Amino acid sequence: MPAWAEGDPLEVAPRLLGAVLTHGGVSVRLTEVEAYAGPQDPGSHAFRGRTARNAVMFGPPGRLYVYFVYGMHHCANLVTGPDGGPGAVLLRAGEVVAGTDLARERRPGSTDRDLARGPARLCRALGIDLTGNGIVPELAAGEPPEQISTGPRVGLRHAADRPWRFWVSGDRTVSTYRPAAPRRPAGR
């Protein structure tokens, strides 16, 4: 793992923008990420401690933490911080820069803009599923963006107001911001 990808998730997240992630014959230039600060962050999967599901987050940095959400999508985070300190950066969106035909096969009917626009689409385009949990990804420095924007994380109920989402300003592959939907009381 390159040294520029190690450290506190709030420092690593903006450095990942422009980096190129390669997996399964496809390369994606990262355009949007979100930082998660482990036990200090109610939005993090590590907030309540180590479980079988999130154990990779507590291991050495530089590995992928892949999880299955809503019974149908995979999402991937790059584990950051010191060994045992479960910080992570969610890989939210990117632009396919190599292996476009293969990404199109994995995401039929998508426009090139949407091939890796959103965390589940990014994983599908790259061919990342639960078998990628714990791997050290192929990650190369790319051209740093001219301008980076920050804002609230997407779809969280806890700590949603923290401006820990980072994206390449004006990039067409950045996902649409959607706040979490409020929960309805049971029985209504």
Side-chain angles (χ1 to χ4, degrees):
M1 180 58 48
W4 55 267
E6 297 175 1
D8 180 273
L10 288 170
E11 295 170 6
V12 172
R15 288 195 308 244
L16 288 173
L17 295 174
V20 177
L21 175 65
T22 301
H23 186 271
V26 174
S27 296
V28 170
R29 178 184 62 88
L30 297 173
T31 59
E32 181 184 11
V33 296
E34 285 180 352
Y36 288 88
Q40 298 81 31
D41 180 1
S44 172
H45 287 186
F47 180 65
R48 289 190 170 79
R50 185 182 181 128
T51 66
R53 178 187 189 201
N54 70 15
V56 169
M57 291 180 73
F58 291 82
R63 300 183 182 279
L64 285 184
Y65 162 53
V66 181
Y67 61 94
F68 196 55
V69 64
Y70 304 126
M72 64 180 135
H73 300 298
H74 294 95
C75 295
N77 292 259
L78 181 67
V79 176
T80 67
D83 193 2
V89 177
L90 175 65
L91 309 177
R92 283 204 54 80
E95 174 188 16
V96 176
V97 295
T100 306
D101 289 340
L102 184 53
R104 287 180 187 137
E105 285 178 31
R106 292 175 178 152
R107 300 255 313 115
S110 292
T111 64
D112 285 356
R113 171 189 178 210
D114 288 336
L115 285 174
R117 187 174 181 229
R121 293 173 180 177
L122 182 139
C123 282
R124 173 79 51 94
L126 289 165
I128 294 174
D129 58 20
L130 291 177
T131 62
N133 192 39
I135 67 165
V136 176
E138 185 180 330
L139 187 64
E143 186 69 29
E146 289 183 23
Q147 188 173 0
I148 295 173
S149 297
T150 69
R153 296 177 292 185
V154 177
L156 292 184
R157 287 181 175 60
H158 304 289
D161 58 336
R162 295 179 185 178
W164 292 358
R165 182 170 63 105
F166 301 86
W167 66 93
V168 176
S169 302
D171 193 286
R172 67 190 191 106
T173 63
V174 171
S175 61
T176 304
Y177 173 72
R178 290 187 178 93
R183 288 193 177 183
R184 295 176 187 231
R188 291 190 181 182

